[in-house]
Amino acid sequence: MLVLQGCASGSSSPTVDTTPPTAPTTLVATASSSSQIGLTWAASTDNVGVTGYRIERCTGASCTSFAQIATTTGATTFSDSGLTASTSYSYRVRATDAAGNLSTFSNTSSASTSSSGGSNITVTVSPQRGGLTTSQTLSMTASLTNDTGAGVSWSATGGGIFTSTTSSSAKYVAPAVAGVVTITATSVADGSKTASATIGVTDLAAVSTYLNGNSRQGANLQEYALATSGPTAVNSTNFGKLFSCTVDAGIYAQPLWVGNVSIGGSKHNVVYVATQHDTVYAFDADASPCTTLWQTGANSVNSLLPSGQTWVTSGDVACTDLQPDIGIVGTPIIDPGTNTMYVVTKSKTTSGTATFHQLLHALDITTGSEKLSGPKEISASVSGTGNGSTGGVVTFDPLINNQRSALLLENGHVVISWSSHCDKGAYHGWVISYSASGLTQEATWNDSPDGAQGGIWMSGSGPAADSSGNIFFAIGNGSFNANSGTAPNRDYGDSIVKVGPASGGTFPVAGYFRSFEEPPPPDGLDVDQGSGGVLLLPTTGTKNNLIQAGKDGRIYVTDQTALGGFNATLNSIVQEVPGQLPGGMWGSPTYWSGNIYFGAALDGGATGDPIRAFSFDAGGSGMISGAPTSQTAKSFAFSGPTSPISSSGQSNGILWALDNAAPSNTCNTSCQVLYAYDATNLATQLYNSTQATGNRDQDGGPVKFTVPTVANGKVYAGGQTTLTVYGLLP
């Protein structure tokens, strides 16, 4: 018997899917080249599930005859290739499900291929330029127009690796060696369309001291970002203000910079700023908007002010040279090897009769916390019968002594020097050394123990030091009897002085130079030798010279091993250049690649002076040219600039200068203007911060004697209320 198989009695019929998907929407056709058009659309929905899409095409303008050309299995993009140049194509798409139900058609979208060999794709990348420290990570973004959705591929020349890449972004890690790298995004759809970013990679570890080193030469030879296309790439189109960081008071100290500091579990390039409210800030050197990594001060956990103390005011010292407040004046020093910053604060008690204090702090640069059982109260005394002495002892006075000069870290010793406020009070010039490992006071030296005055200002520059631990500085005004031949002959007013390493609780004097043209004490003409800083010149054969200029504008080149002493009718030195700095020197000379730069300016003068470059015979005599080899067209009024240089080795040198005189001919309000010049020819101005329209590069106000810091493609300028950060516009 034949048995028919069928449904069991009482069972229901199987369900049949008869519901079609919804129609695809927002179909867009984009011609990417002469032979390719890309399609994108919004996905359809279905009660069971969409399994794919069918793409139809017709050819020619206003065509109506569509034919299926392709299918996808879920993708909502399609690239139609092999097309004819200069031809219009129209497309429509419908969805299908597992039961074979077809949706209605999408909208129709048309595009025309470009002429033969052409392409409509464009690629851009951001940032297009910039700087990285070795092994630092950079996030890159690519943007495309008229792309089929294929995106870009990433490549780099000059080293480094990509830790991740997508069709529109990449994370690039710089190589471990310095140089210039090129990062390129290439269109996958059209390999002829690319965009590149040029990035300078620096192996600069830190700008940890005033003017970049103990020789005080002022050059950063490891600046590759600003040199990637030569100095002329620094202009108002490519370069300008990136961001600013608000601070609580004026920044007289030069900002310091350290690369790859581990803070909060991440590495940062950090710029450190000290203010007149005894505050130190650690800012991310690259983050825009400004990011504070840590901060000391009255309103922070890590206050540098002891309980019941605050900063000093200009009224306390009866001098308005620093106003309205006085806190951290001298540039701190950082030891990157131990992650320690050494900084001197000035403060007073807030109740009862004020007492005044100066404290030496050792701060952890990763947290701002005190180290080495700090801070240490600064006190000192020497034997002497000079001004303010009592019972044959001259005692350090924390009120009248001004810690203006930058600190020096030399062979494990923190060396600090002092001057006065406006020549007020019974002051002297002091040099004191502390152990960098324990803040133990090691040596004390006074430059006029049997006389008066003798401040060590150098317009904020710090003592210089050679590799043997000898220390050099210039003294402004004060008593002088060092040549008397009769003890005690130990007053060194208006001299350049060399002292040896600390010994027996003091610094032994190893040499000095005082010009016979300097007025005898008391210096009624106020032509202080010590208004300018000391620069140790590069070794030339067996010659080791230094250069310095003071208020009278004479340039002196002396032998570091035999400074020249004093002769009443003759200066026994290597070279004297008179008359070339008529405004006098109120800052420090700087050096780069056989050139020495002086920014002179007359105190109270209306016209000012240009920055002048002199050539230096680095291979022979160790002397400089008798006249400038180039100079700026602009004249800088008091106080005149101290100008650091950035370069890639001996090429692509840029000299940087701050005009801190206000108002000026380029600014009708109180302002600070940053200038950049070709270091090989100062007649070529590359940039100034007034050139951009709309106050784009506006700063935070001028501060006398302040010096910019250049590192990793950026320039950091301290002002009255902000740190302004300039750099290559991204």
Side-chain angles (χ1 to χ4, degrees), residues 1 20 33 71 246 253 258 349 375 379 398 424 451 453 471 474 555 588 599 650 657 711 719:
M1 177 188 299
S33 69
T71 62
T246 301
V258 182
T349 55
S379 62
K424 299 288 186 178
Q453 302 184 345
I471 302 168
I555 302 172
S588 289
Q650 304 305 309

Side-chain angles (χ1 to χ4, degrees), residues 175-367:
V177 295
V180 178
V181 300
T182 301
I183 301 172
T184 301
T186 302
S187 167
V188 174
D190 182 354
S192 67
K193 297 304 175 72
T194 64
S196 296
T198 304
I199 307 296
V201 179
T202 181
D203 53 0
L204 178 70
V207 179
S208 58
T209 189
Y210 187 85
L211 288 181
N212 298 71
N214 287 356
S215 63
R216 310 302 186 192
Q217 292 183 7
N220 170 10
L221 306 180
Q222 298 158 275
E223 180 46 68
Y224 298 95
L226 295 174
T228 52
S229 301
T232 55
V234 174
N235 55 59
S236 59
T237 299
N238 296 334
F239 185 91
K241 178 181 174 181
L242 299 177
F243 59 94
S244 61
C245 300
T246 301
V247 297
D248 61 4
I251 303 168
Y252 282 75
Q254 181 180 355
L256 301 176
W257 178 96
V258 182
N260 294 312
V261 181
S262 293
I263 298 178
S266 300
K267 285 190 175 182
H268 304 264
N269 298 324
V270 184
V271 58
Y272 297 90
V273 174
T275 78
Q276 296 292 68
H277 280 184
D278 287 323
T279 303
V280 175
Y281 295 85
F283 296 120
D284 188 304
D286 306 313
S288 178
C290 182
T291 299
T292 303
L293 300 171
W294 57 256
Q295 171 188 346
T296 71
N299 298 320
S300 69
V301 175
N302 298 324
S303 176
L304 301 187
L305 291 166
S307 177
Q309 294 189 28
T310 187
W311 50 84
V312 179
T313 70
S314 55
D316 293 322
V317 297
C319 171
T320 57
D321 275 1
L322 303 172
Q323 58 175 308
D325 301 316
I326 303 168
I328 300 171
V329 187
T331 299
I333 186 83
I334 292 175
D335 182 356
T338 62
N339 284 341
T340 306
M341 171 189 288
Y342 303 91
V343 58
V344 174
T345 59
K346 189 165 189 167
S347 58
K348 65 179 179 180
T349 55
T350 56
S351 62
T353 301
T355 60
F356 296 88
H357 306 268
Q358 293 193 37
L359 302 173
L360 173 60
H361 303 260
L363 304 182
D364 187 329
I365 66 171
T366 69
T367 64

Side-chain angles (χ1 to χ4, degrees), residues 510-690:
Y512 74 93
F513 164 69
R514 177 186 168 97
S515 172
F516 77 89
E517 290 128 332
E518 195 70 33
D523 180 3
L525 299 179
D526 194 34
V527 288
D528 300 359
Q529 189 64 50
S531 65
V534 170
L535 186 159
L536 303 187
L537 291 165
T539 299
T540 60
T542 60
K543 299 180 178 68
N544 289 283
N545 294 340
L546 66 77
I547 194 166
Q548 195 267 345
K551 286 185 185 179
D552 66 2
R554 292 183 176 90
I555 302 172
Y556 297 106
V557 180
T558 71
D559 186 338
Q560 294 177 35
T561 62
L563 292 182
F566 176 78
N567 184 300
T569 59
L570 176 69
N571 288 329
S572 301
I573 58 175
V574 175
Q575 183 185 14
E576 179 178 342
V577 182
Q580 297 301 322
L581 304 178
M585 192 66 184
W586 303 83
S588 289
T590 53
Y591 173 84
W592 174 73
S593 191
N595 299 281
I596 300 170
Y597 307 92
F598 287 90
L602 180 65
D603 186 8
T607 57
D609 264 358
I611 304 172
R612 297 175 173 90
F614 295 80
S615 63
F616 171 65
D617 185 7
S621 67
M623 296 193 292
I624 70 170
S625 57
T629 53
S630 69
Q631 64 184 45
T632 62
K634 174 183 168 55
S635 289
F636 291 79
F638 180 80
S639 57
T642 292
S643 299
I645 303 95
S646 64
S647 71
S648 52
Q650 304 305 309
S651 61
N652 299 317
I654 301 173
L655 179 135
W656 301 91
L658 285 173
D659 182 1
N660 283 304
S664 70
N665 58 352
T666 56
C667 179
N668 57 13
T669 60
S670 181
C671 67
Q672 177 189 73
V673 182
L674 176 67
Y675 286 82
Y677 294 94
D678 184 335
T680 63
N681 181 5
L682 297 185
T684 302
Q685 182 187 134
L686 305 173
Y687 165 85
N688 78 68
S689 57
T690 68

